[in-house]
Amino acid sequence: MKKGWAVLLASGVFAALMAGCGGMQNGEKAIKEAVSGETAAESTADGGEGAAEAENAGKTVENPNSREGDAQDLYIFIAASLSNAMEEIKADYQELHPEINLVYNADSSGTLQTQIEEGAQCDLFFSAAAKQMDELQDDGYLVEETVKNLLENKVVLIRPAGGETAVTGFENITAADNLALAGEDVPVGQYAREIFRNLGICDQVMAMEINEGANVTAVLAAVSEAANEVGVVYATDAQSAAGSVEVIAEAPAGSLETPVRYPAAVVKDNQGGEKAKQAAEEFLDYLSSREAMAVFEAYGFSACEE
C-alpha cells in the first residue's frame, strides 16, 4: 500500500471519528496509528531492517572471540627457532587458562636480549643459548632462581631440496659457492662459528660469499628458496621445512663443545607488577610439564638432561 492511500484512509478515519465522537484528540490519534501501521508494514516488507535496527539501537555487539578485557597479557620473548612449537603450546595453555593471553615476540636471542636491556616490556625470556641468559642474569634483569634449562637441539648443515652441491659435511663446506649463515650475535651463528674454529676452517669459511641472516628463520628461508647453496640451522628448523630443505650432515662429534640448550627465566617487569610475575612463573612451570614437553619433542627438541 502506498503512503498516499494511507493518508486518505487516515483522513476518512478522522472524519468518522469527528462525527461519531466529536473529539479532535481521538482523530489525531487515529491518523498517527494509521500512518505508523503503514510504516511498520513497509519495514516488514523490506526484510524487517527497520525493526531490527530499532531493537538493536544502543546495544553493544561483542566479538565472542575477543580476549580483550577478559585476560591478562603476558609478554613472552622467544628465540625464533621456538616459534612453531610455542604457537601450539600457546593454544593449549590458553585453553587451560583463559584468564591469560600470551603475547609472543620472536627473534634472535641476541636481539631479544638487547630489547630487554633497553626496557621493552617482557615477563619471560626463552633463549636459544645460555650466553644471552647469563648476561641478563649477571646484570640483574632476571628474577632470582628462575632460570631453567628446558630443551636441547642440534646444529645441522642444509641445502635446498633437490639442490646440487659438492658439500658433504661441515668439513668441506667451503666447496659451496655461497653460504647462508646467521650473524655472530645470533646463537646458531655462534654455534656455527665454534664448529668452524674447532675444525680449523673458520678463516676459509669467513672468506666465502656469505648471506648473513638476522636470525635462524632468515637462514632457513634463504636455503628453502634456493637463494643459497647451503646453510647452517638447527635440526628443528630443518624438520619444520622438510619439504623444501634437506639435511646434509649434523655437526661432527667434538666440533661443538657448547651444548645447544634453551634456558628460560622470568624477567623483572616493572610494568606488569606482581600479578604478571606470578603468571610468568606459572607459565614457566608449564613449559617443563609433560604436556609441553610432548609438543617440543614433536617438533624435534629433546628435554634438557640437567
Side-chain angles (χ1 to χ4, degrees):
M1 183 184 291
K2 303 298 184 180
K3 288 187 178 180
W5 289 104
V7 172
L8 290 174
L9 175 61
S11 299
V13 173
F14 174 75
L17 289 173
M18 286 292 291
C21 300
M24 181 67 72
Q25 183 175 359
N26 290 336
E28 290 177 347
K29 180 179 179 182
I31 291 173
K32 290 179 180 179
E33 288 177 350
V35 174
S36 64
E38 171 64 13
T39 304
E42 286 186 353
S43 177
T44 302
D46 291 338
E49 293 177 356
E53 290 176 359
E55 182 179 353
N56 292 323
K59 293 183 179 180
T60 301
V61 179
E62 296 182 356
N63 180 358
N65 297 319
S66 175
R67 300 177 62 87
E68 185 177 355
D70 298 329
Q72 176 184 341
D73 289 338
L74 198 62
Y75 295 89
I76 314 296
F77 284 22
I78 60 174
S81 54
L82 291 164
S83 296
N84 293 332
M86 288 295 285
E87 283 299 329
E88 186 169 334
I89 285 175
K90 176 180 180 178
D92 293 342
Y93 191 76
Q94 290 185 166
E95 184 174 352
L96 293 172
H97 298 276
E99 77 281 4
I100 299 297
N101 182 39
L102 300 178
V103 181
Y104 288 159
N105 176 22
D107 210 321
S108 75
S109 298
T111 298
L112 298 176
Q113 175 190 356
T114 300
Q115 291 174 356
I116 292 171
E117 291 170 341
E118 292 178 349
Q121 186 171 4
C122 175
D123 299 301
L124 188 144
F125 179 37
F126 201 168
S127 175
K131 179 179 180 293
Q132 290 76 17
M133 191 69 73
D134 291 344
E135 291 177 357
L136 287 174
Q137 185 173 36
D138 291 342
D139 292 338
Y141 288 94
L142 307 180
V143 176
E144 294 183 5
E145 300 182 357
T146 61
V147 178
K148 292 184 179 181
N149 288 318
L150 295 177
L151 305 173
E152 292 186 357
N153 209 338
K154 296 178 181 179
V155 177
V156 298
L157 183 63
I158 61 171
R159 67 181 181 188
E164 295 183 1
T165 180
V167 177
T168 58
F170 281 86
E171 296 89 343
N172 70 334
I173 194 172
T174 54
D177 289 336
N178 51 64
L179 165 68
L181 184 68
E184 59 184 353
D185 62 335
V186 181
V188 72
Q190 295 166 350
Y191 291 132
R193 287 165 176 77
E194 181 180 334
I195 293 169
F196 300 147
R197 284 194 300 270
N198 288 332
L199 292 175
I201 60 171
C202 193
D203 290 341
Q204 297 94 308
V205 173
M206 291 299 107
M208 293 176 64
E209 179 184 330
I210 296 177
N211 176 13
E212 188 170 285
N215 51 48
V216 70
T217 304
V219 175
L220 181 65
V223 180
S224 298
E225 297 164 1
N228 292 106
E229 186 175 333
V230 296
V232 181
V233 298
Y234 295 116
T236 52
D237 295 291
Q239 177 178 314
S240 72
S244 56
V245 302
E246 298 173 355
V247 174
I248 298 173
E250 292 183 6
S255 65
L256 188 58
E257 299 171 3
T258 305
V260 184
R261 290 177 179 159
Y262 287 62
V266 178
V267 178
K268 293 179 180 178
D269 178 13
N270 295 328
Q271 301 176 61
E274 186 62 29
K275 186 176 180 181
K277 173 178 173 291
Q278 181 179 348
E281 291 174 346
E282 291 174 357
F283 182 58
L284 178 57
D285 288 340
Y286 178 80
L287 290 176
S288 59
S289 69
R290 181 184 305 174
E291 293 79 8
M293 280 299 164
V295 174
F296 288 128
E297 289 171 1
Y299 284 90
F301 294 96
S302 57
C304 191
E305 296 297 328
E306 292 186 359

